[in-house]
Amino acid sequence: VETAHRAGMADVASEVLHNVGNILNSINIGTTQMSEMVAASKVDALARVIEMLDERREDLGTFLSEDAKGKHIPVFLSEVSALLQNERDRLAETLDGLAKNVQHIKNTITTQQSYARVSGMEEPASIQEVIEDAIQIDRASLEHHGVRLVYELEPLPPVQVNKQKVVQILVNLIKNGGYALAHSDEADKVLRLRLYRHGEDSLRIEVIDNGTGIAPENLTRIFRHGFTTKPNGHGFGLHSGALAAKEMGGSLRVESGGPGQGAQFTLELPCKPVVRS
Ligand SMILES: Nc1ncnc2c1ncn2[C@@H]1O[C@H](COP(=O)(O)OP(=O)(O)OP(=O)(O)O)[C@@H](O)[C@H]1O
Ligand SMILES: [Mg+2]
């Protein structure tokens, strides 16, 4: 159990690193763009005008009203001003993107660390929050692939649950869903997350995508240890997810209409009342 637990956390950690790497890549592109903008800045043109005005300090009035170059200066200044404003706007925009990406990395790492720190034991937790944390870990990649997230989360009271296990299962389901969407031709790629109470004593979390779908003969195979259809896949995610769900007294199931029909994974968990220590 300890090994499986560590392997699960290692999966989440490697997913975090992978995503942070991707975000760093766009930060890198952003900083290069900003350097280029600064290098090509029109601010030097302004210095040249000031130099010219300085040289003609003695007869500035005549220069501005009668000299061919001098007469052009007001027009030129307003052109430079427009260019500089445009420059500033583009820099601000790129900087905004950079700040957003840095914040993104910070949130992702904080989330991962908070899960690495929890005991791996049952504790009171809000399932909605666990779902949002799991999404946070893959958010950049989902955004990158143009995936639209739809939340249908019933506001449930906190339950006694092993947060780490749930987040590990969800991170793999979300990552799988994102992959299926990234590799499908569907124009409106949707990843739907649902949470609802099922009967008196269980709750269900559904991760539904309209991606590549699963052939009927693979619906049971995908839970086998080592089954993968991805060039860099391990085929561990669903296997360990199903085991973890079982250990928690729940289950992990799949439905799919077949290739091109998307897939729906349902994680069912017992609703254990919170134990206050
Ligand atoms: N949402 C989905 N849509 C289509 N196929 C899926 C989906 N989720 C899983 N699969 C199929 O199930 C296989 C097994 O998934 P699993 O998560 O166990 O391993 P993996 O994603 O291939 O690798 P990893 O160990 O890195 O998670 C995938 O390779 C894929 O073929
Ligand atoms: Mg997987």
Side-chain angles (χ1 to χ4, degrees):
V1 171
E2 182 59 28
T3 312
H5 168 75
R6 283 218 202 94
M9 278 324 285
D11 276 358
V12 173
S14 86
E15 184 61 10
V16 166
L17 277 181
H18 177 81
N19 288 321
V20 165
N22 282 340
I23 306 172
L24 278 175
N25 207 24
S26 36
I27 289 183
N28 202 11
I29 295 171
T31 48
T32 309
Q33 281 173 346
M34 287 181 63
S35 305
E36 284 167 4
M37 283 184 227
V38 170
S41 174
K42 291 290 172 292
V43 78
D44 289 343
L46 211 51
R48 281 201 300 279
V49 175
I50 291 167
E51 226 168 79
M52 213 189 282
L53 291 176
D54 208 38
E55 278 165 16
R56 305 293 297 261
R57 199 173 336 149
E58 306 303 320
D59 60 339
L60 210 50
T62 329
F63 178 61
L64 287 177
S65 57
E66 278 157 37
D67 186 279
K69 269 192 191 162
K71 280 200 283 195
H72 188 65
I73 284 181
V75 182
F76 180 76
L77 282 179
S78 82
E79 280 169 8
V80 171
S81 148
L83 286 172
L84 286 177
Q85 269 166 3
N86 179 282
E87 241 177 67
R88 183 201 52 201
D89 291 349
R90 276 164 51 221
L91 282 173
E93 204 181 295
T94 318
L95 206 51
D96 256 10
L98 287 182
K100 200 174 145 235
N101 276 327
V102 169
Q103 186 62 38
H104 214 96
I105 291 183
K106 206 172 141 226
N107 292 346
T108 308
I109 289 178
T110 309
T111 308
Q112 197 265 335
Q113 282 175 337
S114 78
Y115 280 89
R117 236 179 280 122
V118 298
S119 59
M121 309 275 278
E122 285 187 352
E123 58 186 307
S126 145
I127 297 288
Q128 295 95 294
E129 272 175 33
V130 177
I131 293 174
E132 277 154 27
D133 287 345
I135 282 286
Q136 174 59 40
I137 289 179
D138 241 346
R139 190 183 299 278
S141 151
L142 294 169
E143 273 176 16
H144 176 76
H145 289 114
V147 173
R148 189 157 67 83
L149 291 169
V150 176
Y151 296 94
E152 291 168 16
L153 309 180
E154 238 176 56
L156 301 183
V159 290
Q160 194 74 10
V161 74
N162 183 329
K163 278 169 67 167
Q164 246 181 18
K165 277 203 175 115
V166 176
V167 96
Q168 280 164 26
I169 299 172
L170 293 180
V171 164
N172 181 53
L173 294 181
I174 292 163
K175 188 178 141 197
N176 286 350
Y179 184 96
L181 287 166
H183 290 80
S184 101
D185 300 330
E186 176 62 47
D188 186 20
K189 303 181 196 299
V190 182
L191 190 69
R192 193 177 296 272
L193 292 137
R194 302 186 66 211
L195 166 67
Y196 56 93
R197 208 181 178 108
H198 180 251
E200 271 303 289
D201 35 39
S202 59
L203 60 87
R204 284 181 174 176
I205 305 168
E206 294 176 351
V207 180
I208 308 165
D209 67 73
N210 59 347
T212 51
I214 302 166
E217 66 270 22
N218 284 342
L219 285 175
T220 51
R221 283 191 200 144
I222 56 172
F223 291 99
R224 273 192 217 151
H225 187 257
F227 178 88
T228 182
T229 55
K230 305 174 186 171
N232 299 316
H234 301 103
F236 296 166
L238 289 175
H239 179 77
S240 58
L243 280 182
K246 210 169 156 194
E247 277 166 19
M248 289 187 284
S251 64
L252 179 62
R253 289 190 305 273
V254 64
E255 284 162 57
S256 171
Q261 303 296 305
Q264 166 170 347
F265 286 84
T266 307
L267 173 62
E268 186 164 317
L269 294 172
C271 256
K272 295 193 189 164
V274 164
V275 182
R276 296 272 172 216
S277 48

